[in-house]
Amino acid sequence: MIRILLADDHPVVREGLRGMLGAEPDLTVVGEASSGPQAEALSAELQPDIVLMDLRMPGGGGVESINRMRAAGLPCRVIVLTTYETDTDILRAVEAGAAGYLLKDLARGELADAVRAAARGETVLAPSVAARLVDQLRRQPERPRLSERETAVLRLVAEGCTNAEIGRRLYIGESTVKTHLLRIFGKLGVDDRTAAVTSAMRNGLL
């Protein structure tokens, strides 16, 4: 049996969700919350498998609650169920660790299937939401790539080594070190060693 907590500040919405999900033999609603903080408290107390979370509720948004629930180590998986599908809302929810992002206009069978999929560890997204995420990824600039040797050079730069020291450590000439650094600067779009290290860290290259 999959245990579900409903988190929505509209009683009519919660009543409708309880009716829809309660009709499924393998799903049961174990609690209801009308605010983000209440959802957090009930999740800790009731230990549901799934939390259906509205994004905008009193006392803080759903994303903030998801962040706090993840930080607290609660094992439940959170599915955002909302009427909002802006790029910002979607990205913030996914980055916070939501297991899914669904819109409230989906059919009963689709909701039940999504809950089951999330309980199995899958990510569930409304088709329009998935399309928006793909579009966001396509629009993001490609992360620069450094070769293995360039990465080794930059790591030593980050340690404070001079070009001569880097050459001795890597058994290459100082002129070769300078060539690697020029290539690194070009790939990262920077002009000096400090900016190169900072950019590489920001891009997860070091």
Side-chain angles (χ1 to χ4, degrees), residues 134-189:
V134 170
D135 185 56
Q136 281 286 322
L137 290 172
R138 285 175 177 163
R139 283 187 283 164
Q140 287 181 355
E142 184 177 352
R143 191 174 75 173
R145 296 182 181 180
L146 301 181
S147 69
E148 186 175 339
R149 178 49 60 90
E150 288 166 348
T151 301
V153 168
L154 197 54
R155 282 202 182 100
L156 292 175
V157 170
E159 291 177 13
C161 295
T162 65
N163 288 355
E165 290 169 336
I166 293 171
R168 287 195 296 271
R169 298 264 301 261
L170 298 180
Y171 303 102
I172 57 179
E174 192 171 342
S175 62
T176 303
V177 174
K178 292 178 180 177
T179 299
H180 283 311
L181 284 173
L182 288 174
R183 289 176 180 165
I184 292 168
F185 293 170
K187 288 182 178 181
L188 298 179

Side-chain angles (χ1 to χ4, degrees), residues 84-166:
Y84 304 98
E85 56 173 328
T86 66
D87 291 350
T88 302
D89 286 331
I90 295 167
L91 288 173
R92 288 182 65 225
V94 171
E95 288 172 353
Y101 196 109
L102 303 174
L103 303 178
K104 288 181 178 177
D105 60 356
L106 80 172
R108 184 181 79 181
E110 293 173 331
L111 178 59
D113 288 343
V115 168
R116 295 185 185 104
R120 292 193 300 267
E122 300 174 21
T123 299
V124 291
L125 299 171
S128 61
V129 170
R132 283 176 176 272
L133 280 175
V134 170
D135 185 56
Q136 281 286 322
L137 290 172
R138 285 175 177 163
R139 283 187 283 164
Q140 287 181 355
E142 184 177 352
R143 191 174 75 173
R145 296 182 181 180
L146 301 181
S147 69
E148 186 175 339
R149 178 49 60 90
E150 288 166 348
T151 301
V153 168
L154 197 54
R155 282 202 182 100
L156 292 175
V157 170
E159 291 177 13
C161 295
T162 65
N163 288 355
E165 290 169 336
I166 293 171

